[in-house]
Amino acid sequence: RLLVIFALVQLFFTTGMLAVIRNNEATVRALLTGGLSNFFRVLLPQIVIFSVLILVFILCTITFALLGLTSDIGLLSALTFGIMMPTLMLTFFFDTAAVFEDRKVYESIQRSVLLVSNHMLEVLGYFFVSALLCAGVIFGLMIVWEVILFDKLKPLMDFTDAQREAFTPDQLMAMIGQDGLWVTAVILFIGVFILLPLLFSYKASFYKKMASSVVRIEQQTCGEYDSK
């Protein structure tokens, strides 16, 4: 239940950020108003995409069961991954289409699929750059986390390979203690605070670039031609 509440709150603020970028109005009021006015416009397509993925997974599971392949976890995982990743990639910009162009549920999904299909190489580059940004921020924050908790983590340096392999997250939490947990929570908050605006600004800018290129192509193909 807490996870669902957190996801809805995150969706509200990320939708508000897209509205702020669209309207070029960086105020708290614009964030809250944009999040409220576009919340269901983004939520409903997300539910549709998630429902389709769940339905496809159930159908694949039933098909595998009828063929007697339910024990082949590797094949089922590969098929699920092969269906999920292209679907998520093609529909990745549905929220941006819904907020920037006031698209309805299926229109926003269709718009995202169209843009990604026409700019596949650019989209792959976008994901690569986004991954680098995430890795850079996470790596930097991990260094800060280790420096702050160095004294508590120092015993790990004396562990043998067998002890490191048997080391569990519960043991790590017990090692860093309550203070370490608070430090971890603050570091995670800082990471989210940095990454969300950075990634969504990049996403909005990239979407505008894709959409503008499509508009230029349409203008060129729909122009008047001289029959002479």
Side-chain angles (χ1 to χ4, degrees):
R1 184 179 299 178
L2 290 176
L3 185 61
V4 173
I5 294 175
F6 175 77
L8 292 176
V9 172
Q10 181 182 0
L11 177 64
F12 176 82
F13 281 103
T14 53
T15 304
M17 279 191 287
L18 289 175
V20 166
I21 297 171
R22 171 193 173 183
N23 300 323
N24 196 21
E25 185 180 356
T27 62
V28 176
R29 181 179 180 181
L31 177 69
L32 298 178
T33 303
L36 184 62
S37 60
N38 295 285
F39 182 77
F40 288 102
R41 186 175 291 154
V42 174
L43 176 63
L44 294 179
Q46 196 172 62
I47 293 175
V48 170
I49 295 170
F50 181 75
S51 300
V52 170
L53 289 174
I54 294 297
L55 179 60
V56 171
F57 179 77
I58 292 175
L59 291 176
C60 290
T61 304
I62 294 174
T63 304
F64 277 29
L66 294 176
L67 296 175
L69 299 174
T70 53
S71 59
D72 195 342
I73 304 299
L75 181 59
L76 182 60
S77 301
L79 182 62
T80 302
F81 183 81
I83 295 174
M84 183 177 297
M85 291 306 297
T87 302
L88 294 178
M89 180 181 294
L90 290 171
T91 59
F92 184 75
F93 294 95
F94 78 90
D95 53 349
T96 321
V99 175
F100 278 35
E101 302 179 9
D102 296 325
R103 300 270 179 170
K104 295 181 180 179
V105 177
Y106 296 104
E107 291 178 349
S108 62
I109 298 175
Q110 184 180 16
R111 178 65 167 168
S112 176
V113 172
L114 176 64
L115 289 176
V116 174
S117 299
N118 291 334
H119 300 83
M120 185 59 68
L121 291 178
E122 293 91 334
V123 171
L124 292 175
Y126 162 82
F127 284 118
F128 180 73
V129 173
S130 298
L132 289 180
L133 290 174
C134 291
V137 173
I138 293 172
F139 181 73
L141 291 177
M142 284 182 61
I143 292 177
V144 174
W145 181 78
E146 291 178 359
V147 169
I148 295 175
L149 300 177
F150 178 77
D151 292 336
K152 296 180 180 293
L153 298 174
K154 192 175 181 180
L156 289 174
M157 300 174 63
D158 300 326
F159 278 20
T160 63
D161 293 338
Q163 288 176 318
R164 291 193 184 96
E165 292 177 0
F167 198 67
T168 63
D170 292 336
Q171 291 175 315
L172 177 62
M173 288 188 289
M175 177 179 288
I176 63 178
Q178 189 67 31
D179 294 339
L181 292 177
W182 279 108
V183 170
T184 304
V186 172
I187 294 294
L188 289 174
F189 175 80
I190 294 174
V192 172
F193 186 77
I194 294 174
L195 280 176
L196 279 184
L198 183 63
L199 292 176
F200 273 85
S201 297
Y202 181 41
K203 183 178 183 179
S205 175
F206 186 81
Y207 180 85
K208 287 181 180 179
K209 182 179 178 181
M210 285 197 302
S212 62
S213 65
V214 171
V215 170
R216 287 196 298 269
I217 293 174
E218 290 177 351
Q219 289 175 347
Q220 292 173 1
T221 56
C222 296
E224 295 182 358
Y225 293 91
D226 190 353
S227 59
K228 298 179 181 180

